[in-house]
Amino acid sequence: MITILNLKKSFGETVACDIPSFTVNKGDLLGLVGNNGAGKTTLFRMMLDLLRPDEGSVTIDGIVPSQSEDWKQFTGAYIDEGFLIDYLTPEEYFDFIGKISGIGPDIIVRRLSDYERFAGGEVFGQKKLIRNLSAGNKQKVGIISALIRHPRLVVLDEPFNFLDPSSQNILKHLLVDYRRATGATIIVSSHNLQHTIEISTRIALLEKGKILKDLPNENESAKEELTAYFDVNESSEHPQS
């Protein structure tokens, strides 16, 4: 589904990405984990042609994003609230997505019903502009907007941010069920290690722009190794006096 070759990006002296080779397979639910500054968002932005690499390439189903926009037809992504049109209401925004995607308003309305539990009575029918929603509800709008076109590739950066515990749990089930129902490839980054372990079929550990580990995660098999890694690194960053 996604092939990365010799991908490099630096900001001054800081290496944000240095990945010689990595492949995301069709149907993976890939979790990207790493500490702050690991390069997760930089990697996503290069995948989505929002940031040009210094070297190397990303291809999505054989398409180089910087050379063709065909990948956008089957990709849904949410990185941050900059993706939103905040002077619209959520319903107006979803309708806009439908229009530019060739999806009729009746279909959009039917699909929104699948997300009512996740929306939690705080997003639909509130007659509020997106800019006036809480951070958590903006996050819900962004996630729903990434899924509503039924894409076969979904990219979500820190989707559990700003969500209350109930909404986080609903989102976990939502992503797992979406992949099971559609066969979609889903890539999720998160600081929440437990959530990532619970939903992912595969986990990549990214630190200082490099993929240090690429772990299968059948029945949460990556949990022990990842927990040990982050416990060691957290301890080393906070030595006792």
Side-chain angles (χ1 to χ4, degrees):
M1 186 69 176
I2 298 176
T3 302
I4 295 171
L5 289 174
N6 300 317
L7 192 66
K8 295 183 180 182
K9 183 67 181 180
S10 296
F11 298 99
E13 298 298 318
T14 302
V15 176
C17 183
D18 184 3
I19 302 175
S21 177
F22 189 71
T23 299
V24 181
N25 303 311
K26 182 179 179 181
D28 278 349
L29 203 169
L30 175 69
L32 278 183
V33 297
N35 292 312
N36 288 334
K40 301 184 296 293
T41 300
T42 297
L43 177 57
F44 279 168
R45 289 189 173 277
M46 287 191 287
M47 284 183 182
L48 300 172
D49 194 33
L50 299 172
L51 182 67
R52 293 294 174 91
D54 297 331
E55 298 179 33
S57 64
V58 176
T59 58
I60 302 176
D61 257 9
I63 301 166
V64 178
S66 62
Q67 297 176 6
S68 169
E69 295 193 348
D70 289 350
W71 60 278
K72 293 182 179 180
Q73 297 174 13
F74 56 82
T75 302
Y78 184 66
I79 303 297
D80 56 40
E81 63 181 76
F83 276 48
L84 305 175
I85 303 176
D86 67 358
Y87 57 81
L88 301 178
T89 66
E91 287 85 353
E92 290 171 338
Y93 181 55
F94 298 135
D95 189 50
F96 169 76
I97 291 172
K99 286 179 179 177
I100 64 174
S101 305
I103 302 172
D106 292 344
I107 296 176
I108 290 292
V109 169
R110 287 202 301 272
R111 290 184 182 181
L112 286 177
S113 66
D114 295 336
Y115 303 104
E116 285 184 356
R117 185 163 176 257
F118 179 54
E122 299 178 332
V123 174
F124 304 149
Q126 300 303 299
K127 298 182 179 179
K128 287 185 178 181
L129 302 180
I130 292 172
R131 66 174 57 152
N132 295 327
L133 297 177
S134 68
N137 287 329
K138 288 178 183 176
Q139 189 82 341
K140 292 178 181 181
V141 172
I143 293 167
I144 293 169
S145 71
L147 296 172
I148 199 168
R149 295 189 300 118
H150 291 180
R152 53 188 173 90
L153 172 63
V154 179
V155 179
L156 299 173
D157 192 17
E158 299 289 351
F160 299 106
N161 277 4
F162 311 118
L163 300 182
D164 59 52
S166 293
S167 297
Q168 290 180 19
N169 284 325
I170 293 169
L171 177 59
K172 285 189 293 184
H173 291 291
L174 186 63
L175 294 176
V176 170
D177 291 346
Y178 181 83
R179 172 183 167 271
R180 184 180 296 122
T182 65
T185 304
I186 302 176
I187 310 176
V188 173
S189 78
S190 180
H191 284 112
N192 191 308
L193 185 61
Q194 184 56 41
H195 287 347
T196 307
I197 291 170
E198 288 175 0
I199 68 172
S200 301
T201 62
R202 178 183 173 197
I203 297 178
L205 170 61
L206 194 67
E207 287 296 348
K208 296 182 180 178
K210 298 178 182 291
I211 294 178
L212 301 186
K213 298 178 184 290
D214 179 10
L215 303 171
N217 190 46
E218 184 177 355
N219 298 320
E220 301 187 13
S221 59
K223 182 175 183 177
E224 184 176 354
E225 186 169 353
L226 288 170
T227 301
Y229 176 86
F230 284 107
D231 282 349
V232 167
N233 277 271
E234 185 174 339
S235 298
S236 67
E237 290 174 5
H238 303 282
Q240 294 182 354
S241 57

